[in-house]
Amino acid sequence: MPIIVNLDVMMAKRKVRSKDLADQLGITEANLSILKTGKAKAIRFTTLEAICKALDCQPGDLLEFRE
């Protein structure tokens, strides 16, 4: 898949645990794990916005395109 999800990297930089972020976003840890591993087929802009607010980052910090 050419879209790489760097959510786990950003979480490590911010020292945020999965449980804490999931609670803050109002989603399950299982759904957060699906996002982190890049297995999600889509992400809602509202979820992306909430992640960016929680981690104080930009969408480009979380998503990357590679050939």
Side-chain angles (χ1 to χ4, degrees):
M1 175 187 265
I3 301 294
I4 308 300
V5 180
N6 294 316
L7 179 56
D8 55 344
V9 174
M10 190 55 60
M11 289 174 61
K13 285 182 181 179
R14 301 292 192 253
K15 296 183 174 106
V16 175
R17 296 183 320 159
S18 292
K19 181 181 181 347
D20 296 333
L21 184 59
D23 288 345
Q24 196 171 359
L25 298 175
I27 63 174
T28 65
E29 286 185 71
N31 284 340
L32 183 61
S33 177
I34 290 169
L35 289 173
K36 283 173 46 178
T37 58
K39 293 181 180 178
K41 299 291 182 201
I43 183 169
R44 293 181 183 194
F45 282 124
T46 54
T47 303
L48 184 59
E49 179 184 355
I51 292 170
C52 288
K53 282 182 181 179
L55 297 178
D56 189 30
C57 65
Q58 294 294 313
D61 297 329
L62 302 172
L63 302 173
E64 177 183 348
F65 174 76
R66 287 192 201 156
E67 288 286 341

